[in-house]
Amino acid sequence: MSTTIAELSLSKAYRQAQRAMAAWLERGPAGARQGAFGLRTALAGLDPTERGRLARWLAWLSVAARSRGETLPEGRIQRLDATLHQAMEDALARLPAGVLAAPARIHRRSA
C-alpha cells in the first residue's frame, strides 16, 4: 500500500482530531453533545499549524455542504470551539473567488 507525502506529514494527533471531527459532524444533535468532550480533548492536542489545517479542511467541508444544499456545520463548530470557528471563517474568506458564490446544484437521482 502506498501513501502520499502529504499523508506522511500529518501528525498522529492531527489525524485523530480530524477523524473525531468527521465522526462528530456525522452524528445527530444528541450524539454530538455526547461526543463533544472527546472531540475537545482531541483538539487540545493540536498545535497552531494543525489547528489551521483543520480549519481549512472544515472550510472546504462547509463549501461542499453548501453545494449539496445540506445543513452547514458552522453553528455546531461555533458551539464546540469559538476559536476554531473563527479560524474556519477566516479560511472561508481566503478561498478562491466564486467558490462560496456558486449556486447549490440540484442533483437528480434516478432509479
Side-chain angles (χ1 to χ4, degrees), residues 35-111:
F37 180 77
L39 179 54
R40 286 185 183 115
T41 302
L43 293 174
L46 299 178
D47 66 29
T49 301
E50 292 169 328
R51 285 182 71 86
R53 286 180 183 154
L54 189 65
R56 285 189 299 278
W57 176 72
L58 289 169
W60 281 111
L61 283 181
S62 180
V63 169
R66 288 174 195 205
S67 73
R68 293 188 303 262
E70 296 176 356
T71 304
L72 302 179
E74 282 92 330
R76 289 180 65 189
I77 293 167
Q78 185 175 25
R79 289 187 298 276
L80 175 76
D81 185 321
T83 58
L84 181 61
H85 175 262
Q86 185 58 54
M88 183 187 79
E89 291 293 322
D90 294 344
L92 277 167
R94 290 189 304 270
L95 291 178
V99 170
L100 295 177
R105 293 179 180 89
I106 299 174
H107 299 283
R108 295 184 181 215
R109 297 180 185 182
S110 61

